[in-house]
């Protein structure tokens, strides 16, 4: 910087500071963190607690001295379960509030909505929920489960341990259930399951009239072949769905349901007595026995002031993602997005099952896979788990269009969908 220009710059800065209150001046010394979760609408049942856990994590980090000598400042917005509004709020966080990173989204349709914004503005998004895969974006870190870290192991468990022969794939009508079920249908057929032994059903967000559908599931499972429901139903539609299962007396020993979007938070609003024995596949349960989890739960209860507030899998994903971001920023010495992207691959942090999770070159992380049975108290008892951590696969091996694709955001490849058969990068990394 030349002497003349430096003098001008300093004078301009001094002029700009005149009249600023101490509070405003201090605000410039914070690092802003965006929280992009629905606090109203159909997804508030699941997302509100993720906003709360992010506030807790930011508060705890500030108690440790913040980051790079600055305090962290949470910027909370409410996209209100409105998928286009997610993009608007993401742009607000990045352009207006100048946040260093965003932690948010639940549904894949909301994530798809914001992807162009994060790419255009070179922002960072940490996405904490299980999803359908078939995507790897340079600006996104997928800390929830890919299908090979949840859906495929769940089906294997039902097939091998429960002897399931007929399959109901029931989901909410949007990209995550449809793509996940496309993968599962191909996987099941590859295992010799006949087309007539697979029933697929979709319902809109917030669906409440389950009587006919659940009756159809009951009839489908009455042929003498062991039947299970694989549920990708999202949001508050789960409440009447499980209630109708109880109304028709469908018990876990008859037609078990394994859910990918029902955890402790959703069960907190249900009468769990009729649901005992039904299943969920996640990478974390509150009932996990580890020192890290015990400390996390204690901190959560102290933060909320409510000993009954539960924890769940997407909360753990935010815990992992937030701590990875902290370490990546410390390693890079800056919150600059490009520097963080370069520094975060290979970083490992504790998860809440007692191990370490690592960020892989495809921007997915390593996770254990757990199958849990619903208990009367709304918690899960783990009945099966992988022997080690599973690496998240961005591109499914079971779909012809993606079987040859890999993702590696390190130089020199820097590609989200590299075709190993052709040796070519297919584009920007999203399908």
């Amino acid at each position: 910087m030349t002497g003349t220009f430096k003098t001008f710059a300093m004078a301009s800065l001094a002029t700009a500071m005149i009249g600023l209150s101490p509070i405003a001046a201090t605000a410039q010394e914070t690092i802003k963190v965006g929280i992009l979760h629905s606090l109203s609408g159909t997804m508030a049942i699941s997302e509100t607690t993720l906003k709360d856990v992010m506030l807790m994590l930011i508060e705890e980090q500030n108690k440790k001295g913040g980051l790079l000598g600055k305090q962290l400042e949470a910027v909370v917005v409410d996209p209100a379960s409105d998928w286009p509004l997610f993009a608007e709020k993401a742009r607000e966080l990045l352009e207006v509030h100048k946040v260093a990173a965003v932690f948010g989204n639940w549904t894949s349709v909301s994530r798809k909505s914001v992807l162009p914004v994060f790419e255009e503005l070179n922002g960072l998004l940490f996405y904490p929920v299980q999803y359908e895969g078939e995507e790897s974006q340079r600006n996104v870190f997928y800390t929830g489960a890919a299908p090979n870290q949840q859906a495929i192991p769940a089906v294997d468990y039902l097939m091998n341990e429960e002897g399931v022969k007929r399959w109901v794939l029931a989901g909410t009508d949007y990209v995550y259930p449809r793509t996940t079920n496309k993968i599962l249908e191909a996987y099941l057929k590859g295992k010799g399951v006949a087309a007539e032994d697979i029933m697929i059903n979709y319902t809109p967000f917030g669906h409440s009239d389950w009587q006919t559908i659940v009756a159809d599931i009951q009839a489908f499972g009455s042929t003498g072949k062991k039947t299970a429901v694989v549920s990708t139903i999202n949001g508050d539609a789960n409440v009447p769905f499980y209630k109708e299962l109880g109304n028709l007396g469908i018990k876990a020993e008859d037609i078990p349901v394994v859910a990918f979007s029902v955890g402790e938070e959703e069960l907190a609003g249900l009468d769990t007595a009729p649901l005992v024995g039904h299943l969920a596949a996640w990478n974390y349960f509150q009932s996990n026995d580890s020192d890290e989890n015990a400390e996390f739960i204690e901190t959560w209860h102290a933060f909320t002031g409510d000993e009954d507030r539960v924890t769940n899998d997407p909360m753990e994903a935010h815990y992992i993602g937030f701590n990875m971001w902290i370490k990546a920023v410390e390693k890079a010495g800056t919150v600059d997005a490009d520097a963080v992207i370069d520094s975060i691959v290979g970083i490992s942090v504790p998860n809440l099952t007692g191990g370490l999770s690592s960020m892989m070159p495809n921007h997915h992380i390593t996770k254990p896979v757990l199958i849990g049975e619903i208990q009367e108290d709304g918690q899960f008892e783990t009945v099966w788990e992988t022997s080690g951590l599973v690496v998240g696969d961005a591109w499914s091996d079971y779909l012809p269009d993606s079987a040859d694709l890999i993702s590696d955001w390190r130089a020199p490849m820097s590609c989200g969908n590299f075709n190993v058969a052709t040796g070519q990068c297919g584009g920007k990394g999203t399908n």
Side-chain angles (χ1 to χ4, degrees):
M1 184 177 289
T2 66
T4 301
F5 182 77
K6 184 175 181 180
T7 301
F8 173 78
M10 293 300 292
S12 298
L13 177 61
T15 301
M17 291 297 290
I18 294 174
L20 281 183
S21 69
I23 294 176
T26 302
Q28 293 183 349
E29 295 304 313
T30 63
I31 295 173
K32 294 183 178 181
V33 179
I35 302 175
L36 183 65
H37 281 300
S38 293
L39 310 180
S40 56
T42 189
M43 292 308 301
I45 185 177
S46 297
E47 294 194 65
T48 299
T49 198
L50 297 186
K51 177 266 295 182
D52 292 339
V53 79
M54 283 305 305
L55 294 178
M56 181 191 83
L57 292 170
I58 290 169
E59 180 179 286
E60 290 300 304
Q61 185 64 30
N62 283 336
K63 290 178 182 177
K64 299 174 186 176
L67 181 62
L68 302 182
K70 299 181 180 182
Q71 290 284 284
L72 299 178
E73 177 185 350
V75 182
V76 179
V77 295
D78 177 17
S81 306
D82 181 330
W83 318 135
L85 188 57
F86 267 88
E88 294 180 28
K89 291 297 184 180
R91 184 173 294 276
E92 176 187 329
L93 287 171
L94 294 170
E95 283 191 328
V96 178
H97 298 290
K98 308 295 185 183
V99 300
V102 176
F103 294 79
N105 296 78
W106 182 292
T107 67
S108 286
V109 66
S110 72
R111 188 191 72 257
K112 294 286 189 184
S113 175
V114 305
L115 287 183
V117 177
F118 281 91
E119 183 177 356
E120 174 195 344
L121 301 177
N122 199 30
L124 301 179
L125 173 64
F126 287 80
Y127 178 63
V129 184
Q130 82 291 344
Y131 86 120
E132 70 281 358
E134 307 308 292
E135 178 182 302
S136 180
Q137 215 265 12
R138 179 177 179 270
N139 299 85
V140 181
F141 302 98
Y142 305 82
T143 56
N148 72 307
Q149 295 173 309
Q150 185 186 40
I152 297 296
V155 165
D156 283 341
Y157 171 81
L158 290 171
M159 190 178 291
N160 299 328
E161 304 297 328
E162 300 281 346
V164 172
K165 304 294 184 185
R166 303 200 92 195
W167 303 84
V168 178
L169 308 182
T172 302
D173 193 5
Y174 74 105
V175 61
Y176 161 61
R178 284 192 172 273
T179 306
T180 299
N181 287 341
K182 184 179 179 182
I183 293 169
L184 289 179
E185 184 180 14
Y187 183 73
L188 289 170
K189 288 180 176 178
K191 292 288 187 178
V193 177
E196 59 267 24
D197 287 329
I198 303 174
M199 170 184 170
I200 303 177
N201 177 268
Y202 296 104
T203 47
F205 279 99
H207 188 71
S208 60
D209 184 7
W210 288 95
Q211 188 172 356
T212 300
I213 295 170
V214 173
D216 289 343
I217 291 172
Q218 189 175 48
F220 185 77
S222 64
T223 64
K225 291 183 179 179
K226 182 69 173 181
T227 301
V229 177
V230 178
S231 171
T232 47
I233 300 166
N234 262 257
D236 55 10
N238 278 293
V239 176
F241 170 66
Y242 279 99
K243 184 176 181 180
E244 189 59 33
L245 289 176
N247 290 342
L248 291 186
I250 297 178
K251 298 180 179 180
E253 56 264 33
D254 303 321
I255 302 177
V257 177
V258 60
F260 301 157
S261 298
V262 172
E264 293 85 347
E265 183 73 9
E266 290 76 18
L267 290 177
L270 296 175
D271 174 13
T272 56
L275 306 182
V276 171
H278 287 298
L279 306 166
W282 290 104
N283 311 108
Y284 163 87
F285 292 119
Q286 180 175 324
S287 56
N288 288 347
D289 184 14
S290 73
D291 292 341
E292 294 85 355
N293 192 35
E295 181 180 353
F296 179 76
I297 294 170
E298 181 179 359
T299 303
W300 174 242
H301 287 163
F303 176 79
T304 61
D306 184 352
E307 292 288 323
D308 294 326
R309 281 290 294 273
V310 296
T311 61
N312 63 19
D313 180 283
M315 290 171 64
E316 189 218 22
H318 264 338
Y319 169 86
I320 293 170
F322 179 77
N323 287 323
M324 284 182 167
W325 175 69
I326 292 291
K327 289 189 70 172
V329 169
E330 291 174 340
K331 179 181 175 182
T334 175
V335 295
D336 175 75
D338 292 327
V340 173
I341 290 170
D342 288 341
S343 67
I344 198 169
V345 172
I347 280 181
S348 297
V349 299
N351 57 42
L352 298 178
T353 58
L356 293 174
S357 287
S358 302
M359 181 63 70
M360 305 305 289
N362 63 1
H363 286 188
H364 292 63
I365 68 173
T366 57
K367 301 167 77 78
V369 185
L370 312 173
I371 308 293
E373 281 189 358
I374 297 173
Q375 306 297 297
E376 286 195 24
D377 61 358
Q379 292 294 313
F380 291 89
E381 179 184 348
T382 300
V383 295
W384 180 88
E385 61 185 296
T386 51
S387 58
L389 301 181
V390 178
V391 177
D393 189 357
W395 301 99
S396 175
D397 296 335
Y398 307 107
L399 297 179
D401 291 342
S402 62
D404 291 330
L405 300 181
I406 63 170
S407 168
D408 190 333
W409 286 109
R410 298 170 299 179
M413 182 178 287
S414 296
C415 179
N417 54 0
F418 184 84
N419 191 308
V420 296
T422 65
Q424 300 295 317
C425 181
K428 297 177 180 178
T430 57
N431 193 23

